[in-house]
Amino acid sequence: MPDFARPQSMIEALRLLAEGGWRMLAGGTDLYPGAGPQLAGAVLDIGGIPGISGIETGEGLRIGAAVPWAAIAEAELPMACRALQQAARQVGGWQVQAAGTIGGNLCNASPAADGVPPLLALAAEVELVSVRGMRRLPLQGFLLGPRLTALQPDELLAAVVIPDAALRGRSAFVKLGARSHLVISIAMVAARVVVEGARIQAAAIAVGSCSPVAVRLPAVEAALVGAAVKDAVNMVVAADVQAALSPIDDVRATAEYRRAAAVELVRRAVAEALA
Ligand SMILES: Cc1cc2nc3c(=O)[nH]c(=O)nc-3n(C[C@H](O)[C@H](O)[C@H](O)COP(=O)(O)OP(=O)(O)OC[C@H]3O[C@@H](n4cnc5c(N)ncnc54)[C@H](O)[C@@H]3O)c2cc1C
């Protein structure tokens, strides 16, 4: 078995993956730093596979897994995707945004992955392919825990799909770190709201870095639906936010700080999405 391959077609990639023993490489911005002094095992570079590096519209919005953050930030996308684009501009610095991909962010499954809350607020699904066929999972069913996903060893994440129904409204992403740029999130929030007249018709709010996997906030969403836009921020009740969270103490912040910060971030994200 070679220790490196860069397949030029999906079928070639899937056949290799079916043989087992590969570590997939996209931008390498999580894989290499996490590997220590030497990357062990055979590397399958997915950068040559056609069809996973573009953004397409059709039935919903299909973002190829190998699309880098810089391309997402610069793409012309509906206002509902603004939170995703704001997050894209805050994943590391320019070099990381040029190399790091949306698929790598999801497959690495860090609780602090900035791509996850905006995609949860967009009800995103992931498209997984293998020689056995293709399957789609909701993102919340794909992310199982810190560094743990539902991806099988012979599967490749081909795309993230946002259904048409979730491409309505406007969204905002608010990230809290120890400094303004180049920082891992202490907490982050994505909020998407659909407004009709002066009232909120639908709301999707997700919080990251405050639980093993980023979560939606059903109680907050329910309180927002039907609320007048002018009253929306007051409808965000601390207990509703905190009920869904289970933050930990770590080097970046205490659990208590995260719990309090999340409430303020949700209010700011809702206000910004409505602004
Ligand atoms: C300096 C620095 C700053 C960073 N700052 C941030 C930040 O602010 N916010 C943030 O969220 N992240 C940050 N990151 C982490 C990283 O840049 C992102 O998570 C990025 O999106 C990872 O994508 P990648 O293409 O580089 O993944 P890779 O490193 O290539 O892969 C990551 C993991 O996913 C697997 N994988 C990749 N693509 C696929 C696929 N299509 N199918 C199946 N498995 C796949 C790989 O095998 C590997 O296990 C930072 C990293 C660095 C080095």
Side-chain angles (χ1 to χ4, degrees), residues 7-185:
Q8 298 299 308
S9 73
M10 181 62 91
I11 193 67
E12 186 191 351
L14 298 182
R15 280 190 189 134
L16 287 170
L17 277 178
E19 290 169 8
W22 295 97
R23 302 185 70 171
M24 252 176 283
L25 168 71
T29 62
D30 273 320
L31 188 66
Y32 286 122
Q38 199 171 356
L39 185 62
V43 170
L44 188 88
D45 180 348
I46 64 168
I49 303 173
I52 61 168
S53 305
I55 302 178
E56 294 160 22
T57 49
E59 265 180 48
L61 182 73
R62 188 176 187 280
I63 306 176
V67 175
W69 288 114
I72 292 172
E74 285 157 21
E76 273 194 33
L77 300 179
M79 286 301 284
C81 297
R82 187 163 165 266
L84 183 64
Q85 295 189 289
Q86 289 176 313
R89 290 190 187 93
Q90 293 179 66
V91 175
W94 285 3
Q95 295 93 335
V96 168
Q97 289 162 25
T101 63
I102 189 169
N105 195 247
L106 300 184
C107 291
N108 189 56
S110 162
D114 285 321
V116 175
L119 289 170
L120 287 178
L122 286 164
E125 297 180 347
V126 291
E127 194 177 288
L128 308 176
V129 290
S130 71
V131 287
R132 295 172 288 117
M134 190 270 273
R135 63 182 179 131
R136 266 200 198 173
L137 289 181
L139 181 57
Q140 60 266 51
F142 176 71
L143 297 169
L144 302 179
R147 314 285 173 196
L148 188 64
T149 70
L151 192 78
Q152 296 300 304
D154 64 343
E155 281 181 320
L156 181 146
L157 171 62
V160 178
V161 182
I162 300 161
D164 277 324
L167 290 171
R168 297 184 309 134
R170 298 180 303 198
S171 68
F173 175 76
V174 181
K175 169 171 171 172
L176 174 69
R179 57 181 186 225
S180 69
H181 285 84
L182 274 174
V183 73
I184 297 176
S185 296

